[in-house]
Amino acid sequence: MMNVSIIGTGYVGLTTGAALAFLGHRVTCIDIDPKKVEQLKRGECPIYEPELENILKGCRDRLTFTTDYEPAISGSQVVFIAVGTPSQADGQPDLSYLKSAAQAVGRNLGPKFTVVVNKSTVPIGSGNWVESIVRDAMREAKKEASFSVVSNPEFLREGSALSDMLYPDRIVVGSEDPSATTVMQDLYLPLLKQSFDSPKNLPRPKGFVQSPFVATDLQSAELIKYAANAFLALKISFINEVAELAERVGANAGHIARGIGLDARIGERFLQAGIGWGGSCFAKDTSALISTAREYGLPMSITQAARDVNSRQRARVIEILLSELRILKGKKIGILGLAFKPFTDDLRDAPAFEISSRLKERGAKVVGYDPIANSRVRQEWADRGPIVADSVAEVFAESDAVVLVTEWPELVNSDWKALLPSMKNKLVVDGRSALDRPTLTGLGAKLIIMGYGA
Ligand code: UGA
């Protein structure tokens, strides 16, 4: 059991903290936002993530929340930095939060060897930069301490973050110091060996017996993170490009995905055609990768193409509606699902925003609903987004078309029989190939599934 501090209580920090406490470590989560810390102290979770609140509650005796760096950092063997690195206008991430976290670590290091773990997604070379910031801050505070910086990229998906954290496909640690790598191996031992009893609602996947540990250098670990996200993004864009061709030649995108995905070299996951990817990671990381490569004179044309195809997917929704309805001005368009994917309330780069903005520009009245993200939409998008409905029925009533943007099960399984008759025009666009064609067409709807056509 180790003493661990985690700076930043966003998706990554909080999930990491909860999982490490669950595995038996004593964890202090530090955040500069006192409101968030107070909420966490009360046992409330500031973000929606399945099972997170339960795990936080269950591990209360091993978890502390604070705004103070001291004494948490000085008493920790491992300090995680898990702060945000949002994109700037030039595509490069904003590292100011990372810098101030690293300075705080340097000022508060304890007498014993500390491993400083960079969990935030950072430009290649940042590990060395963090090291120099920690060292400078340490010297300014007139401290003499030994520490090592390691990069430990995160591969969790929002909506299944705890499961991804507890049953990881791999754990990557980049470091120049073998003793720091060993500390990380010890910290993660229960995950590597899968020696813990699974939490009640997060069962271990069948046949999952251990997790591989990839020990590498700092730069490689940092690049692994970008390469993984860019590859997943291009896999989705690839199937979307193929699916558009499939629509035109009368082929079936789902069969194609299965037919190519069963080749173990390709793999079946992330071949779901539709509106394309959103969220905080793929757009930000592909853009950062391109921007870093540009500094080295490399065009990264495949990654750029994946981004281009993805923007086209969003534009296609408008094209489909235009070609069906001819005129969008004055028409009511319903949007089912506003978060960037199901089981999260995260709205970052959510396709629903861009789609509703484009529709509004064309004079349409856009009404949206999300099972979890409604209140966040009201706050974050205010009047820039769709009108937020309190029920699915409000979205359908008198509408000229509805678009399924996020495949929440409760939206997919809406009471179509009751809802469709309330529409002015029974046009349904399925952006996630999630709806059942025979059911909807049987009820008189015209269903257009992106990648599959009408
Ligand atoms: C992604 C990666 O999957 C994680 O491994 C990574 O750790 C994370 O980014 C990150 O860098 O923090 P996330 O953004 O939470 O995770 O969501 P995904 O499940 O990857 O979905 C991304 C988008 O792709 C969603 O909008 C989803 O609807 C879309 N998608 C996914 C498709 O359009 N088709 C698919 O086949 C799969």
Side-chain angles (χ1 to χ4, degrees), residues 5 68-76 108:
S5 285
D68 293 332
Y69 290 99
E70 180 61 34
I73 289 175
S74 63
S76 291
N108 293 291

Side-chain angles (χ1 to χ4, degrees), residues 310-432:
N310 201 56
S311 340
R312 165 141 181 74
Q313 292 312 104
R314 298 176 183 192
R316 281 193 68 212
V317 176
I318 319 300
E319 282 171 24
I320 292 169
L321 290 170
L322 260 178
S323 87
E324 292 296 320
L325 301 174
R326 306 286 168 189
I327 289 166
L328 291 174
K329 208 174 175 60
K331 298 278 164 76
K332 174 179 170 184
I333 312 291
I335 305 281
L336 295 174
L338 304 171
F340 84 96
K341 67 173 186 178
F343 305 106
T344 177
D345 62 348
D346 196 337
L347 299 174
R348 287 174 290 179
D349 196 30
F353 182 77
E354 196 175 327
I355 291 166
S356 55
S357 305
R358 284 175 184 237
L359 290 169
K360 280 167 71 176
E361 274 162 25
R362 289 180 173 268
K365 176 181 175 188
V366 189
V367 181
Y369 173 83
D370 190 282
I372 292 286
N374 266 0
S375 60
R376 200 178 265 263
V377 169
R378 288 193 178 104
Q379 252 174 38
E380 291 183 15
W381 293 352
D383 51 2
R384 295 177 303 122
I387 298 166
V388 181
D390 290 320
S391 67
V392 180
E394 265 180 58
V395 174
F396 278 79
E398 293 296 303
S399 63
D400 295 277
V402 296
V403 185
L404 178 77
V405 174
T406 314
E407 68 279 31
W408 283 98
E410 80 166 73
L411 299 176
V412 171
N413 302 318
S414 292
D415 186 354
W416 295 96
K417 197 170 170 188
L419 293 165
L420 283 169
S422 73
M423 295 177 76
K424 201 185 275 172
N425 175 40
K426 293 181 195 165
L427 172 65
V428 179
V429 179
D430 177 0
R432 298 292 181 187

Side-chain angles (χ1 to χ4, degrees), residues 172-439:
V172 175
V173 170
S175 167
E176 314 302 328
D177 175 0
S179 57
T181 307
T182 307
V183 171
M184 294 304 287
Q185 224 161 350
D186 290 345
L187 180 80
Y188 284 134
L189 206 60
L191 293 184
L192 298 172
K193 296 204 153 157
Q194 287 293 303
S195 54
F196 60 93
D197 291 330
S198 294
K200 204 169 99 227
N201 297 324
L202 294 165
R204 180 171 284 114
K206 232 172 138 201
F208 195 91
V209 288
Q210 59 178 6
S211 191
F213 187 76
V214 181
T216 182
D217 56 274
L218 275 170
Q219 279 90 325
S220 303
E222 288 160 357
L223 187 48
I224 284 169
K225 169 69 190 191
Y226 284 111
N229 272 356
F231 194 85
L232 292 169
L234 73 89
K235 223 177 153 184
I236 300 168
S237 282
F238 179 78
I239 198 65
N240 280 332
E241 193 171 71
V242 171
E244 194 173 352
L245 178 63
E247 258 185 58
R248 295 190 191 189
V249 302
N252 181 309
H255 294 177
I256 296 167
R258 184 157 161 77
I260 63 171
L262 282 169
D263 184 330
R265 293 169 301 175
I266 297 174
E268 282 190 272
R269 294 166 73 190
F270 277 68
L271 286 178
Q272 181 80 44
I275 274 174
W277 37 269
S280 67
C281 307
F282 288 176
K284 173 169 81 75
D285 294 352
T286 49
S287 141
L289 191 61
I290 290 168
S291 156
T292 300
R294 196 181 300 127
E295 288 171 16
Y296 290 84
L298 273 178
M300 285 301 212
S301 44
I302 294 178
T303 310
Q304 184 55 53
R307 289 175 61 84
D308 297 342
V309 169
N310 201 56
S311 340
R312 165 141 181 74
Q313 292 312 104
R314 298 176 183 192
R316 281 193 68 212
V317 176
I318 319 300
E319 282 171 24
I320 292 169
L321 290 170
L322 260 178
S323 87
E324 292 296 320
L325 301 174
R326 306 286 168 189
I327 289 166
L328 291 174
K329 208 174 175 60
K331 298 278 164 76
K332 174 179 170 184
I333 312 291
I335 305 281
L336 295 174
L338 304 171
F340 84 96
K341 67 173 186 178
F343 305 106
T344 177
D345 62 348
D346 196 337
L347 299 174
R348 287 174 290 179
D349 196 30
F353 182 77
E354 196 175 327
I355 291 166
S356 55
S357 305
R358 284 175 184 237
L359 290 169
K360 280 167 71 176
E361 274 162 25
R362 289 180 173 268
K365 176 181 175 188
V366 189
V367 181
Y369 173 83
D370 190 282
I372 292 286
N374 266 0
S375 60
R376 200 178 265 263
V377 169
R378 288 193 178 104
Q379 252 174 38
E380 291 183 15
W381 293 352
D383 51 2
R384 295 177 303 122
I387 298 166
V388 181
D390 290 320
S391 67
V392 180
E394 265 180 58
V395 174
F396 278 79
E398 293 296 303
S399 63
D400 295 277
V402 296
V403 185
L404 178 77
V405 174
T406 314
E407 68 279 31
W408 283 98
E410 80 166 73
L411 299 176
V412 171
N413 302 318
S414 292
D415 186 354
W416 295 96
K417 197 170 170 188
L419 293 165
L420 283 169
S422 73
M423 295 177 76
K424 201 185 275 172
N425 175 40
K426 293 181 195 165
L427 172 65
V428 179
V429 179
D430 177 0
R432 298 292 181 187
S433 56
L435 300 177
D436 185 49
R437 195 187 291 278
T439 308

Side-chain angles (χ1 to χ4, degrees), residues 131-184:
E131 217 248 68
S132 70
I133 290 172
V134 174
R135 195 167 299 284
D136 288 350
M138 181 181 87
R139 288 195 178 134
E140 253 171 57
K142 307 226 172 341
K143 289 217 159 161
E144 225 11 274
S146 76
F147 71 95
S148 261
V149 173
V150 309
S151 163
N152 172 215
E154 188 46 70
F155 302 106
L156 59 83
R157 288 161 303 166
E158 289 175 22
S160 55
L162 272 165
S163 212
D164 290 346
M165 177 82 203
L166 292 173
Y167 312 113
D169 289 337
R170 75 301 206 186
I171 291 175
V172 175
V173 170
S175 167
E176 314 302 328
D177 175 0
S179 57
T181 307
T182 307
V183 171
M184 294 304 287

